[in-house]
Amino acid sequence: MPGERTASADLPFHQLSAMSLGTLVRGEGGGAATVEILAAERSRRLLLLRALDEGLSEDDSPPVYGTALSHRDAWSLLERVQRHAPEVFEDVLMSPPTGMWVSLALRQMRGKSSEDAPLWVVLGHLSALAAAAGARAGQDFSLAVPVRRGLVSLPTLGCAVLPVREPWGVAQVESAQGELTISGEHGQVLVPRGAEANGPGWHAVRHVVLESGERSKRLPLEELDPYRTFPRPSEPRLLSAAEAGAWEGMLADAWEILLRDEPESAEGMRHGLLSIAPTPTRERFRSYSGTAGDAFGGVTASCPDDVPQLAATLVHEFQHTKLGGLIHLQPLSIARAAQDPEELFYAPWRDDPRPLSGLLQGIYAFTGVTRFWRVHRYAAGAGQASSAHFEFALWRAQVWATLNLVRGHERLTALGQHLVEGLHDQCAQWLADPVPDAELELAREAAADHRARWRAHHLRPPAAGVEEAVKAWQRGDDHAPAGLAAEPELVPDSRFGLLDTAAVLVRHRLSEPDGAWRQAAGDAAGVEGATGADVLLACDDRAGARAAFVAQLSGEGPPVAAWVGLGRALAGEGQVRNAASRVLLRFPERARAVHEAVEAATDRAPDPVRLAEWLGQGRG
């Protein structure tokens, strides 16, 4: 029970079976592995609650309107629910927002604030959990709970809206003979019986039912709980009728795709996918999704572009969920010493350089995404097969390259090494899978474009090499000096994003060959970050794109990505131009640095094509 104080040195500890571990290190893991991880997560959740209980004091809750929150009463009610309705207790305990809340509350107790609510409001969320559990279990009780900007959240149950004058307050929740009332200083809400229907001042938690029959899955669409989002809480965001309908329909269809194409993942999700928190719609092909280790089983996601993309998103995030649970049992990498600098890596799915731990998360997630598209491309409809082939080819290449980047890294633990080798073996089997030539080439270009943009933004050639190159250019030397090819320095640049522009344009091209994206100028057609030159390149007008990129690079404050676009546009124009193309795609940071330095030294920007050709003749 939550308040138990007994302990024993002989208590068992959680350990994955060899079979479950074997599936997980291959990037798989279905129902059996998920159930084992979920059991460990339950113990972790209880330990966090124990730590919170030991740090709580009734003094943490000052009286508000003459009423104070009682942590003892909350614990007592939770214990009663655990005895009489254990299934309700477990549902509230393992709700993803509960995990996020207890983690944030412990941090705030230790002086690491993560939200603007006072500590007593954050800790008082325990009373809200107890009240929700008590109401669902049919218990009679009266309990004070916090009010946050007029909202009373009863997690897994719903949210009441009360008239208030202050941002933080206290309301009384009373349950008697099946009647649930929530009373504040200036009003009262009578919750409809069963609490599953909306009513005046009451919003019930919305659910979607996936599949039918005995194996149906009832999944909360979490709009209300403040701790449904991470890394910090947020206000409720109610879905419109149209949004709710879209989510319910697409989730049902995505579930059918998963049952057919990813049955093992679907079985794992049946046990371990515990809620989805919708977020606002974003740009097409740039949807958002996320998970957090403290909110096991919870996914936040923007409304997806189509059903297959939603299915891929669920696979992606559930991979994170499984790996997060595995890491809670045993780490994959050795923590660096406090005095050592953080080693950062290129991640093909991110704009920013990533530490080893983050890179492993990405590798694991996109192994699942690759596996999904590998199968789905043969089941996709005629209008979607080309896009699915592209996605498989793109993520297969990106995962393979990144696995080889970290394979054998000295900071990997034995489990980390085992995992990387298992994923490497899995991905190696996919390299021979055929992909149509057109989609394969598009994937290669998109992958090369992303990596080159990352280098152009984050890497800086040695200052001495750049200075030497400027002098060589001014002297008229026939090639760049060797010093320019020395190891560049990683200087993270946080002032930009959208490194995936080339891939986004490919997705538009494959799904809407004659769509409005072809007329894009800036983000006029909804392709944020795409210039007219990028669109010309995506339409295979390389001559037009070359002229447009040259114009950009000859102007004031040229976009960094234009060097990469110019490199792609110059390909196939003869030996010298091909050499220029290769240097711009492999080492665009050299062209950027020398171009800027020559302009600073001479007050005149060099011709970008001539500079690229000159750099292409270098010895580095």
Side-chain angles (χ1 to χ4, degrees):
M1 288 189 282
E4 285 181 339
R5 300 285 182 182
T6 59
S8 169
D10 298 326
L11 285 175
F13 59 90
H14 289 279
Q15 186 173 353
L16 291 175
S17 66
M19 181 175 293
S20 290
L21 182 60
T23 62
L24 289 169
V25 298
R26 293 195 303 271
E28 300 168 351
T34 303
V35 167
E36 291 183 36
I37 292 175
L38 197 57
E41 287 295 316
R42 178 185 183 275
S43 292
R44 182 177 186 271
R45 189 76 51 86
L46 288 171
L47 287 171
L48 291 174
L49 284 171
R50 169 68 63 80
L52 186 72
D53 180 34
E54 291 175 347
L56 285 175
S57 164
E58 296 299 329
D59 295 336
D60 292 326
S61 177
V64 181
Y65 312 129
T67 302
L69 305 175
S70 172
H71 305 309
R72 290 298 107 214
D73 288 349
W75 282 111
S76 176
L77 180 54
L78 281 171
E79 289 176 342
R80 202 183 341 153
V81 172
Q82 188 182 32
R83 286 194 300 271
H84 297 288
E87 71 287 350
V88 171
F89 175 81
E90 294 297 329
D91 193 51
V92 173
L93 172 70
M94 294 310 296
S95 174
T98 299
M100 183 53 58
W101 161 72
V102 69
S103 177
L104 293 177
L106 283 168
R107 293 190 186 108
Q108 194 148 341
M109 281 179 65
R110 295 163 183 166
K112 299 177 181 179
S113 179
S114 57
E115 56 175 308
D116 60 351
L119 179 61
W120 66 267
V121 172
V122 176
L123 299 180
H125 192 72
L126 177 69
S127 296
L129 289 169
R136 290 181 55 189
Q139 299 290 305
D140 290 348
F141 65 89
S142 180
L143 193 65
V145 301
V147 181
R148 306 168 66 104
R149 297 185 175 91
L151 304 174
V152 179
S153 173
L154 298 185
T156 74
L157 196 63
C159 178
V161 182
L162 293 174
V164 295
R165 295 174 183 169
E166 301 294 336
W168 319 111
V170 171
Q172 198 73 21
V173 179
E174 296 183 332
S175 175
Q177 298 180 342
E179 294 284 345
L180 184 64
T181 58
I182 303 171
S183 306
E185 187 186 25
H186 304 290
Q188 184 181 80
V189 171
L190 178 62
V191 179
R193 276 190 175 271
E196 293 190 355
N198 294 332
W202 175 254
H203 300 288
V205 170
R206 191 190 306 269
H207 293 84
V208 58
V209 178
L210 305 177
E211 210 177 346
S212 59
E214 295 181 356
R215 293 170 63 79
S216 64
K217 178 173 180 61
R218 194 165 182 259
L219 184 69
L221 277 183
E222 188 56 78
E223 311 158 79
L224 306 171
D225 195 308
Y227 294 98
R228 72 194 185 281
T229 55
F230 26 82
R232 57 189 59 85
S234 62
E235 298 296 317
R237 179 185 175 272
L238 294 173
L239 296 174
S240 67
E243 287 178 306
W247 269 105
E248 290 168 4
M250 293 181 77
L251 277 169
D253 292 343
W255 188 251
E256 291 299 321
I257 287 178
L258 291 174
L259 289 173
R260 182 192 67 204
D261 298 344
E262 276 280 317
E264 187 177 19
S265 290
E267 191 58 30
M269 291 180 203
R270 192 187 302 278
H271 298 280
L273 179 62
L274 304 179
S275 71
I276 292 182
T279 64
T281 301
R282 293 180 42 158
E283 179 189 344
R284 182 164 170 75
F285 299 122
R286 283 196 173 116
S287 58
Y288 166 81
S289 64
T291 57
D294 290 324
F296 184 89
V299 173
T300 61
S302 60
C303 193
D305 302 312
D306 54 44
V307 172
Q309 287 288 347
L310 176 56
T313 294
L314 293 178
V315 170
H316 176 120
E317 296 304 338
F318 197 63
Q319 290 286 104
H320 282 306
T321 295
K322 290 184 295 185
L323 190 64
L326 181 60
I327 291 171
H328 283 160
L329 290 171
Q330 191 172 338
L332 302 179
S333 59
I334 302 167
R336 65 185 176 89
Q339 68 273 16
D340 292 341
E342 182 80 86
E343 184 180 11
L344 299 174
F345 299 84
Y346 167 64
W349 35 79
R350 296 277 302 216
D351 290 338
D352 55 330
R354 300 294 288 160
L356 180 60
S357 58
L359 198 62
L360 292 172
Q361 281 280 0
I363 289 171
Y364 201 79
F366 280 97
T367 297
V369 170
T370 306
R371 184 182 63 240
F372 168 77
W373 289 116
R374 177 177 182 257
V375 176
H376 179 71
R377 62 202 179 116
Y378 294 114
Q384 296 179 326
S386 186
S387 294
H389 281 300
F390 167 76
E391 298 293 348
F392 169 65
L394 176 64
W395 297 121
R396 176 182 64 178
Q398 302 290 46
V399 168
W400 179 251
T402 313
L403 278 168
N404 286 304
L405 179 66
V406 301
R407 194 180 184 198
H409 194 281
E410 60 183 8
R411 281 186 48 220
L412 289 173
T413 63
L415 177 59
Q417 294 278 13
H418 188 33
L419 181 95
V420 169
E421 289 302 319
L423 298 178
H424 189 273
D425 291 347
Q426 184 78 291
C427 193
Q429 298 176 31
W430 302 338
L431 296 180
D433 286 5
V435 176
D437 290 344
E439 288 80 2
L440 185 61
E441 184 56 32
L442 287 171
R444 286 171 176 164
E445 280 211 46
D449 186 282
H450 188 282
R451 183 176 183 84
R453 289 184 187 226
W454 188 92
R455 291 187 65 99
H457 278 284
H458 293 300
L459 298 185
R460 298 290 180 271
V466 174
E467 183 180 355
E468 186 183 358
V470 171
K471 293 177 180 177
W473 173 267
Q474 290 176 311
R475 287 194 304 265
D477 291 1
D478 59 2
H479 56 73
L484 191 62
E487 189 69 23
E489 179 184 6
L490 176 61
V491 183
D493 180 358
S494 60
R495 298 169 298 171
F496 79 102
L498 310 174
L499 297 188
D500 63 344
T501 297
V504 169
L505 285 169
V506 170
R507 293 180 177 113
H508 278 284
R509 171 179 169 172
L510 294 176
S511 62
E512 307 170 284
D514 300 315
W517 63 274
R518 284 180 170 269
Q519 286 74 49
D523 60 356
V527 185
E528 187 179 0
T531 66
D534 293 312
V535 173
L536 289 170
L537 194 56
C539 294
D540 286 330
D541 182 357
R542 294 186 182 264
R546 182 182 68 244
F549 284 124
V550 168
Q552 289 179 9
L553 292 167
S554 300
E556 186 175 347
V560 174
W563 288 109
V564 179
L566 179 60
R568 291 175 59 196
L570 290 175
E573 293 193 7
Q575 183 176 352
V576 174
R577 289 284 174 88
N578 281 339
S581 173
R582 283 194 297 272
V583 80
L584 290 181
L585 291 177
R586 294 178 184 176
F587 311 108
E589 70 277 7
R590 299 179 188 175
R592 177 190 178 186
V594 175
H595 188 271
E596 291 174 353
V598 169
E599 183 175 19
T602 65
D603 202 28
R604 181 179 179 183
D607 177 82
V609 175
R610 279 192 58 225
L611 178 61
E613 292 173 345
W614 183 72
L615 292 171
Q617 301 304 313
R619 299 170 182 169

